[in-house]
């Protein structure tokens, strides 16, 4: 702690801060552009000038850049000093000389950091009368719009894109007044984190192209805190809505999870909520055709189904905990399925099991960033959980921070730290079947078949802890690699092992768990992160249930009267003929979902569910953190959140005593009562009764427009806004708002004078620290209490991978864009998704035909020499819908067929 | 006391003043061009819609009676729909003051009574006129940096030609 | 010329109602002129039939009694007010021979008795409406009317002392040489002011101060019941004008023109003066109204009595 004096007022600051952070944390407004809490300081924009005095007797002082000056004990600075103010005014004036007269046609307008800072410095009239420099724009793909005229050369974009996210294709060009930030030539930005440029750019150079299509000003949109549903990381988001359509997703700061950045899948994946594939009516199959029927008719129809034999419920890893629990309550735990087929079912349960038993720490993303050695085993985390990949990339910087500490350079001094730390890279070791997007910052990459990777993992575990089972038959090369990995992990202070379900291999996850456990045995505070397939996979796994294979068996034995599927697409889990068999063997099939899937054709009853943008609920991410999402849009027409449909079903068959839930809080309380593992989920977010300063938090800004006109084309009469179901937020601008609201309830960021998302500084206890109002979600599973012994090491070692003649092991490739179910329905993601190709090593044919589940598929081939022989990669769930686990297939070349 | 008597006297004298009011509708009162009556949307000198759907009029409206949605065609922003609920409008003119493109203007016409309130909801086709209204020469895109058909980068007022970033000269 | 009494009664009351009705129109027209606008000029020539239109409107409006009102009292209140004003006219001597009870020896006291009754009308209306604005209006009216009745009575004592009679007929006759407005100037002013307050006319219309009380005591009244309040107010104006004419302006007395015309001219002049007051003066605050009454009008009228008495005694003594 140090005390500094800002304009005569003493303020406490944290050690190692710079003056800009100290000033902002003290609640004083000081304009800045190039500094970013996560990117550090480079002193490029000269905007945060303050006057510093040598001591109480120094009356002249000197102008310093606050972001480049450490806050030392007893420092005396003045923000309001006339000379400093004039300096800042002149800086913003010349930054604005070339800024175009664009604000009305700029997507950033109204939430623009440049607007805020210009107003803050008091610059209001342009004196510059000469010509403005102009630039031509580039087409940067479906996500990001480019308007270079607006650039003020703060360098934040390239610092984020290149330095932070490891992108290569965005750079600074030309010099002095001609500075240009873009690609060498027009083309889609390759980085999966390009969308963050929108939030990182302090003005409108990079704006959201998808949002621009249905643009609305920030002040006009309703916001609600949400949780990303597109991978198992569970990034916190704010979803914006206007006039019934979901407009955009932006980052919601959670100091332990996603902090300042999202991946593009999360940012653009919400499109499914508006898409034509949404189910919006209640459908009943009558004479082979779906007819629209009233909700009540459908519910009473279900009651007749229920009399016709046992009811089996299939939940889903993409549905909320509440929906899964409601289904489980309706059908009974013994008739509830997780909605996952083997091997995904077993792997997900295994992950939950490891989470509960491992002695290692399960890291949050922020913890991952603090690790100093990472071993990624058999999981391309950048593809399956992109935001985790970004955090792992930051972990490689750890050594450069230590180097900076040694040289007494503050860590926020970004350029110096990076320059000095070029040769100090914390080890990231990657063992995957093929190249990954993180290879560029990895010190070691090993490409092998899943079984060999698992063997490598076990070998590493054995090298770390002798008690772990030894792996027989390792090649010399493998032993060397294992030795290097073990050595690097043991040398680290905080080693991290990452694995996951991508390759469908339990051995891989066991191997990762063994390494982490072995490190713990050796006294290292190891962390273990297991990536799961879906947003709520961990929630479903902790709840437990039958696998789909078990359901198929029950159906075959005729034990299924009615099958209820809640938000699950069985065709992604089961091969077509197995789906066919299952549906043929059940007497009634009820589908509750928000988006169309191939199943809809077969469903006797189709009930429209609310997607997460239209409903409230809880999801458990891969680290076991329960997080609440709240509805931002009203469910339209008969659309209801799934658990309400299930509750109505229960009522129709006379089970309403157990499931008489009216609100989300009721369901949450019921879950917490019945399932001990979920006992704390109520702490994920405040309840619906939550009031801030005696009022509900408003979900619309105080300046929302068009209240009396927005539905006037329907009726000129004003309608009162109904209460938002399952949300503690007020649906209108009526309500309270403060910078100390709980992090789980933030509907939008705004502070006086700070209209952009940079106002986040005002909501944090300290910059980069927890939200003032708390609630970062609740970790349901804490570090295991169980004593670890070597008996717990998995001894289930796989055999060495042996290629087979005439067939090839087809591995599921995870694509950032296209593999995940819901985001694939979003037009933006579909546009970004590349066509599916088979990746194989060597000089192969350009097209192959493979036979899978009895169906012949003709697929294009792409050469990828990083793959070992005998293996091929093909995207999961894309053209081969049910393909998600390694499978031996016979490949025929097109020429051979001809 | 004197003040009261003086007031009475001055008021009394008003008996002999000329009326300030006119018997509308037989005599139409003079309305100055800046009179705040019916709202219109104007076009720029090229005949294109001036409105760029920036939403500032809607934000400025104290009774929230303006609603619009931004659309975009060849780089030009335009309102996909633009509706004003005149049953709520108070003709304060804030929208006109907020408009950065002179698109929304209030006119000296107030005769817009309807028997059905729904008819007071004006859509874009009801609001859009074919002329420039009060500002005959202004065209927003001529002073803004966006490229639109017929006006490339660097062709707006006081703009230099676009930078060739591949040039080697400093 | 002796006219049969029934005719006198009918014609007098009809005339009063007519004057009250017409003065609503005259007031609106005059207010228009004072405010540089034509006023109502659409119905009939010069807008003369506006009165008829208003009357028709009033009669055909829904006659609504609020469910929360005290119904019998609610119905009674406007009738009381209207009757009291009409009865006051009973003792006004319009000409020497045209009066219902002009020679009543307690004529003036009768007028005061009726004015006292009029207070009930307003208070009951305010009370029975069961509405807080109406009640506040009623309370204000009670305080205001009772207070100003005091100064009104005291201001008149000079006239009574000088004329030596309570009979209005005698008072008019006593002015045959000099109108009382000259010797009783102070009393006349106090009476005028008190008269405005008594009829709760602008600028002393605090019981119905619309900007703070809605419409005051008659907030809940509509249709013809409201019409009765309305007519009673204008009849009250005519009544005060007639009383001032009788008491201070020599009643029907005047040269050349017939007595009736003199009376009418004076009354019309005073009504117009009341309208001018309305057009010109702002409404005082309620506490200002009360303190003006008790701190200025009361001493002034007492001084007036003392002076008049002294002069009378001095004259009698001389």
């Amino acid at each position: 702690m140090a005390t500094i004096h800002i304009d005569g007022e003493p303020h406490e600051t944290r050690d190692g801060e710079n003056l800009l952070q100290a000033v902002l944390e003290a609640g004083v407004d000081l304009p800045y552009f190039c500094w970013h809490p996560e990117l550090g300081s480079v002193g490029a924009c000269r905007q945060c000038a303050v006057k510093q005095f040598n001591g109480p007797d120094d009356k002249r002082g000197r102008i310093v850049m606050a972001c480049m000056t450490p806050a030392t004990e007893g420092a005396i600075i003045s923000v309001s000093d006339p000379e400093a103010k004039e300096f800042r005014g002149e800086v913003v004036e010349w930054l604005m000389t070339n800024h175009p007269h664009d604000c009305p046609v700029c997507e950033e307008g109204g939430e623009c950091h440049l607007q805020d800072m210009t107003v803050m410095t008091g610059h209001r009239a342009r004196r510059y009368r000469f010509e403005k420099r102009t630039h031509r724009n580039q087409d940067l793909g479906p996500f990001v719009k480019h308007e270079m005229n607006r650039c003020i050369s703060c360098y934040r974009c390239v610092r984020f894109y290149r330095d932070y996210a490891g992108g290569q294709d965005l750079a600074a060009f030309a010099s002095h007044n001609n500075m240009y930030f873009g690609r060498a030539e027009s083309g889609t930005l390759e980085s999966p984190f390009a969308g963050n440029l929108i939030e990182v750019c302090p003005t409108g150079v990079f704006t959201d192209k998808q949002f621009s299509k249905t643009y609305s000003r920030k002040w006009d949109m309703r916001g609600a805190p949400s949780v990303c549903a597109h991978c198992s990381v569970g990034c916190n988001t704010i979803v914006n809505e206007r006039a019934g359509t979901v407009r955009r997703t932006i980052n919601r700061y959670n100091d332990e999870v996603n902090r300042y950045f999202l991946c593009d899948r999360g940012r653009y994946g919400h499109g499914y909520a508006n898409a034509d594939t949404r189910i919006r009516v209640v459908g009943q199959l009558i004479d082979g055709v779906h007819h629209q029927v009233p909700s009540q008719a459908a519910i009473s129809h279900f009651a007749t189904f229920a009399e016709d034999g046992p009811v089996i419920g299939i939940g889903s890893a993409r549905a909320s905990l509440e929906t899964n629990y409601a289904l489980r309550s309706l059908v009974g735990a013994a008739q509830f399925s997780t909605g996952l087929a083997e091997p995904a079912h077993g792997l997900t349960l295994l992950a939950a099991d490891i989470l509960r038993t491992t002695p290692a720490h399960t890291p949050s993303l922020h913890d991952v960033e603090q690790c100093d050695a990472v071993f990624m085993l058999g999981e391309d985390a950048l593809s399956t959980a992109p935001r985790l990949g970004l955090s792992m990339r930051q972990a490689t910087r750890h050594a450069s921070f230590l180097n900076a500490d040694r040289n007494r350079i503050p860590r926020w001094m970004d350029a110096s730290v990076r320059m000095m730390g070029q040769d100090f890279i914390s080890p990231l070791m990657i063992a995957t079947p093929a190249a990954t997007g993180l290879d560029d910052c990895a010190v070691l990459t090993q490409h092998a078949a899943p079984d060999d990777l698992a063997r490598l993992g076990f070998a590493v575990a054995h090298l770390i802890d002798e008690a772990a089972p030894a792996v027989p038959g390792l090649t010399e090369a493998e032993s060397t690699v294992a030795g290097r990995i073990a050595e690097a992990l043991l040398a680290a202070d905080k080693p991290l092992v990452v694995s996951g379900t991508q390759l469908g291999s339990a051995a891989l996850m066991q191997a990762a768990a063994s390494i982490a456990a072995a490190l713990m045995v050796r006294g290292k505070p190891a962390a273990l992160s297991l990536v799961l397939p879906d947003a709520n996979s961990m929630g479903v796994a902790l709840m437990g249930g039958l696998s789909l294979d078990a359901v198929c068996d029950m159906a075959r034995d005729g034990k299924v009267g009615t099958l209820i599927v809640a938000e699950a697409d069985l065709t992604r889990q089961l091969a077509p003929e197995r789906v066919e068999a299952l549906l043929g063997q059940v007497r009634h099939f009820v589908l509750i979902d928000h988006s169309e899937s191939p199943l809809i054709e077969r469903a006797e009853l189709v009930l429209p569910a609310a997607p997460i943008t239209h409903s409230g609920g809880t999801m458990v991410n891969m680290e076991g953190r329960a997080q609440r999402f709240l509805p931002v849009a009203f469910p339209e027409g008969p659309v209801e959140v799934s658990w309400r449909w299930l509750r109505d079903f229960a009522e129709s068959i006379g089970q309403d005593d157990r499931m008489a839930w009216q609100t989300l809080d009721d369901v949450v309380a019921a879950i917490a009562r019945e399932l001990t593992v979920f006992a704390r989920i109520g702490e994920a977010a405040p309840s619906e009764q939550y009031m801030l300063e005696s009022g509900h938090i408003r979900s619309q800004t105080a300046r929302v427009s068009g209240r009396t006109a927005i539905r006037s084309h329907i009726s000129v009469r004003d309608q009162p806004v109904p209460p938002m179901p399952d949300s503690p937020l007020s649906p209108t601008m009526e309500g309270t708002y403060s910078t100390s609201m709980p992090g789980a309830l933030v509907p939008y960021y705004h502070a006086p004078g700070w209209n952009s998302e940079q106002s986040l500084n005002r909501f944090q206890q300290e910059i980069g620290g927890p939200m003032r109002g708390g609630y970062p979600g609740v970790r349901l599973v804490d570090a295991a209490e169980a004593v670890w012994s070597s008996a717990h090491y998995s001894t289930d070692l796989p055999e060495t991978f042996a290629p087979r003649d005439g067939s090839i092991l087809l591995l599921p490739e995870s694509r950032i864009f296209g593999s995940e179910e819901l985001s694939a329905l979003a037009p933006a993601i579909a546009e970004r998704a590349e066509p599916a190709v088979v990746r194989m090593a060597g000089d192969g044919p350009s097209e192959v035909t493979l036979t899978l589940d009895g169906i012949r598929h003709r697929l294009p081939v792409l050469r990828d020499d990083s793959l070992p022989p005998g293996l091929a990669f093909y995207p999961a769930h894309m053209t081969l819908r049910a393909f998600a686990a390694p499978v031996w297939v016979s490949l025929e070349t097109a020429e051979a067929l001809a | 006391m004197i003040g009261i008597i003086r007031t009475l006297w001055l008021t009394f004298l008003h008996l002999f003043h000329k009326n300030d009011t006119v018997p509308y509708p037989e005599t139409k009162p003079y309305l100055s061009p800046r009179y705040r009556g019916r709202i219109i949307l104007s076009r720029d000198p090229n005949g294109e819609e001036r409105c760029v759907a920036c939403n500032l009029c809607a934000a400025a409206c104290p009774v929230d009676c303006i609603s619009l949605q931004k659309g975009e065609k060849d780089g030009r922003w335009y309102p996909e729909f633009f509706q004003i609920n005149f049953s709520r409008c108070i003709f304060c003119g804030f929208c006109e003051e907020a408009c950065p493109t002179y698109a929304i203007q209030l006119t000296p016409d107030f005769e817009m009574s309807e028997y059905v309130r729904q008819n007071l909801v004006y859509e874009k086709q009801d609001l859009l006129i074919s002329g420039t209204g009060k500002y005959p020469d202004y065209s927003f895109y001529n002073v803004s940096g966006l490229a639109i058909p017929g006006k490339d980068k660097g062709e707006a007022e006081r703009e230099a030609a676009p930078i060739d970033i591949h040039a080697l000269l400093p | 010329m002796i006219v049969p009494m029934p005719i006198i009664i009918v014609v007098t009351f009809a005339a009063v109602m007519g004057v009250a009705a017409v003065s609503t129109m005259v007031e609106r027209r005059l207010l228009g002129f004072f405010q540089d606008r034509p006023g109502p000029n659409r119905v009939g020539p010069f807008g003369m039939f506006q009165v008829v239109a208003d009357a028709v409107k009033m009669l055909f409006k829904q006659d609504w009694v609020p469910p929360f009102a005290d119904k019998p009292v609610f119905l009674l209140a406007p009738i009381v007010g209207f009757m009291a004003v009409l009865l006051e006219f009973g003792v006004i001597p319009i000409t020497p021979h045209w009066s219902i009870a002009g020679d009543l020896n307690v004529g003036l006291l009768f007028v005061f008795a009726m004015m006292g009754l009029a207070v009930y009308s307003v208070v009951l209306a305010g009370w029975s409406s069961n509405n807080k604005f109406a009640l506040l209006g009623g309370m204000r009216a009670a305080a205001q009317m009772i207070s100003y009745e005091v100064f009104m009575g005291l201001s008149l004592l000079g006239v009574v002392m000088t004329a030596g009679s309570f009979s209005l007929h005698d008072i008019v006759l006593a002015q045959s040489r000099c109108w009382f407005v000259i010797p009783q100037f102070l009393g006349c002013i106090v009476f005028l002011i008190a008269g405005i307050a008594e009829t709760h006319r602008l600028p002393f219309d605090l019981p119905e101060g619309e900007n703070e009380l809605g419409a005051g005591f008659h907030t809940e009244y509509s249709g013809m019941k409201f019409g009765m309040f309305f007519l009673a107010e204008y009849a009250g104006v005519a009544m005060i004008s007639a009383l001032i004419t009788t008491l201070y302006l020599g009643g029907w007395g005047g040269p050349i023109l017939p007595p009736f015309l003199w009376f009418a001219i004076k009354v019309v002049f005073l009504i117009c003066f009341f309208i001018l007051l309305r057009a010109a003066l702002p409404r005082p605050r309620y506490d200002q109204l009360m303190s003006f009454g008790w701190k200025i009008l009361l001493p002034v009228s007492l001084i007036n009595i003392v002076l008049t008495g002294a002069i009378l005694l001095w004259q009698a003594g001389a």
Side-chain angles (χ1 to χ4, degrees), chain A residues 541-617:
Chain A
L542 292 174
M543 192 175 280
L546 307 170
S547 75
L548 277 185
D549 305 74
V551 174
C552 287
D553 292 345
M554 289 166 85
R556 196 180 54 233
D557 300 345
K559 289 182 192 160
V560 181
T562 306
L563 187 67
I564 305 177
V565 174
E567 301 184 31
D569 179 2
L570 304 183
T571 62
R572 284 171 68 92
Q573 295 291 329
L574 298 173
E577 84 268 4
R578 294 186 69 196
V579 175
E580 206 58 36
L582 172 64
L583 296 184
Q585 285 153 349
V586 299
R587 286 189 283 282
H588 305 289
F589 172 33
V590 179
L591 178 66
I592 306 175
D593 208 341
H594 49 73
S595 295
E596 284 174 15
S597 65
L599 287 180
I600 194 169
E601 303 294 323
R602 305 290 309 272
E604 254 175 280
L605 278 181
V606 179
L607 299 167
I612 75 160
T613 50
H614 293 59
S615 62

Side-chain angles (χ1 to χ4, degrees), chain A residues 132 147 212 217 708-709 718, chain B residues 54 70 83 85 88 153 160:
Chain A
K132 296 177 181 177
E147 184 58 49
S212 182
R217 294 282 176 206
T708 63
D718 290 349
Chain B
C54 72
K70 174 247 171 186
Q83 58 200 27
N85 181 354
R88 290 285 181 176
K153 289 274 173 157

Side-chain angles (χ1 to χ4, degrees), chain A residues 813-868:
Chain A
E813 178 191 1
S814 176
R815 291 272 187 89
I816 297 179
F817 306 110
S819 294
E820 195 272 326
E821 181 176 359
L822 296 180
S823 63
L825 297 172
I829 300 285
E831 194 182 339
R832 180 75 164 79
E834 283 154 21
V837 289
V838 179
R839 279 164 62 189
M840 284 164 67
D843 235 349
S846 63
E847 204 170 53
V848 292
T849 303
L850 64 81
T851 310
L852 191 67
D853 304 325
I855 304 169
R856 294 167 78 88
H857 301 275
R858 218 176 143 121
L859 303 167
V861 174
L862 183 78
R863 178 173 174 168
D864 182 349
D865 285 335
S866 69
L867 275 161

Side-chain angles (χ1 to χ4, degrees), chain A residues 284-342:
Chain A
Q284 188 182 343
L285 201 63
I286 303 171
D287 299 331
V289 184
H290 275 109
H291 289 272
Q292 194 174 332
V293 295
S295 306
Q296 204 47 54
I299 290 162
S300 47
H301 218 73
F302 169 77
T304 61
F305 292 170
E307 289 162 10
D308 193 13
V311 182
I312 303 291
I314 296 180
S316 162
R318 65 169 160 90
S320 69
L321 213 49
E322 287 77 4
T323 293
N324 282 303
Y325 175 74
L327 186 57
R328 189 176 179 273
S329 299
L330 178 70
V331 299
Q335 280 83 36
F336 172 74
S337 163
T338 58
L340 300 168
E342 294 297 351

Side-chain angles (χ1 to χ4, degrees), chain A residues 101-102 104-105 129 132 134-136 145 147 149 176 178 212 215 217 247 703 705 708-709 712-713 716 718, chain B residues 54 58-59 63-65 69-70 72 77 83 85 88 118 143-146 152-153 158 160 162-163 170:
Chain A
H101 182 67
D102 262 1
V105 288
R129 287 285 173 263
K132 296 177 181 177
T134 59
H135 280 300
R136 292 202 186 280
K145 203 171 165 180
E147 184 58 49
N149 282 359
H176 64 96
N178 298 349
S212 182
Y215 182 70
R217 294 282 176 206
R247 301 297 176 105
R703 189 50 275 169
S705 76
T708 63
S712 62
H713 58 290
V716 72
D718 290 349
Chain B
C54 72
V63 289
D64 284 349
C65 75
Q69 171 60 49
K70 174 247 171 186
E72 191 172 342
W77 286 30
Q83 58 200 27
N85 181 354
R88 290 285 181 176
Q118 187 66 48
V143 294
S144 82
L146 283 190
D152 200 2
K153 289 274 173 157
R158 280 208 284 278
I163 305 290

